[in-house]
Amino acid sequence: MKLNVRPLSYNDYDDILVEWWKDWGWDSPPKRDFLPQEGEGGVIVYDNTIPVCAGFIYSTNSKVAWITWIISNKKYKDKKKSLDMLISTLETISKNKGHKYMFTNNNNPALINYFSNAGYIKGTTSTELIKTIN
C-alpha cells in the first residue's frame, strides 16, 4: 500500500465521485457549483493508482472549516489508513488557512464512528435541508 494525496481536479467529479455516490446509494451534490471551488475544493487519496476516498472543505467567514461530502471507493476494502490521511490533510489545509475549528456532519454510522474516534465531539442530530434559490 502506497498512499498519496492530491487536490481534486475538475474532472474528478464526473470521472470518479458521482459514481462513488451512486455505488453507496447516496445522492451526489445537486450540481458541481454546490461544492467548494466548483468541485475542486478538496482532496483525493490514492493507493498507488487506485482512487480510494475524497472529501471537501467549505471555508467560512469565521474560524470554522466544514469538512463534508466524504466519499470512498466502495470496492476498496481497507480504508482506515486512507481515511486517516484524508481527514488529516483536510485538517492541515484548514489550519493553514487560519481556521481553528473543524465541523462535519453526516448520517453514515461508520463515518460518525470514525470522526468520533478521531476526536470530534458529537453535536445534536439534525436534518439537512437544501433549497436552490436561483
Side-chain angles (χ1 to χ4, degrees):
M1 176 184 299
K2 183 180 178 200
L3 296 177
N4 58 70
V5 63
R6 69 161 172 79
L8 285 163
S9 70
Y10 186 82
N11 292 331
D12 290 333
Y13 178 83
D14 290 319
D15 294 347
I16 299 170
L17 304 179
V18 170
E19 191 62 36
W20 284 357
W21 281 306
K22 284 181 193 171
D23 288 347
W24 285 104
W26 301 343
D27 292 328
S28 60
K31 292 188 177 182
R32 182 190 303 274
D33 65 0
F34 191 86
L35 296 167
Q37 296 174 261
E38 301 276 328
E40 296 180 72
V43 297
I44 187 166
V45 176
Y46 278 80
D47 180 355
N48 290 313
T49 60
I50 302 168
V52 180
C53 59
F56 293 87
I57 306 168
Y58 287 92
S59 289
T60 69
N61 60 355
S62 69
K63 294 289 182 183
V64 177
W66 180 22
I67 297 175
T68 193
W69 296 106
I70 304 297
I71 190 65
S72 67
N73 180 342
K74 192 172 184 177
K75 297 170 188 143
Y76 189 92
K77 297 302 176 194
D78 186 17
K79 295 180 182 78
K80 170 116 178 60
K81 288 182 182 178
S82 60
L83 282 171
D84 287 343
M85 180 179 269
L86 175 68
I87 301 307
S88 174
T89 302
L90 294 172
E91 289 173 353
T92 298
I93 291 168
S94 299
K95 185 176 181 178
N96 290 342
K97 288 183 175 184
H99 296 290
K100 184 176 178 180
Y101 308 101
M102 301 304 298
F103 173 82
T104 189
N105 67 311
N106 66 73
N107 61 0
N108 178 289
L111 275 176
I112 290 169
N113 219 15
Y114 177 83
F115 277 106
S116 294
N117 290 336
Y120 286 70
I121 299 167
K122 230 182 239 188
T124 58
T125 303
S126 64
T127 300
E128 296 169 356
L129 302 163
I130 299 169
K131 178 180 181 181
T132 302
I133 58 172
N134 191 358

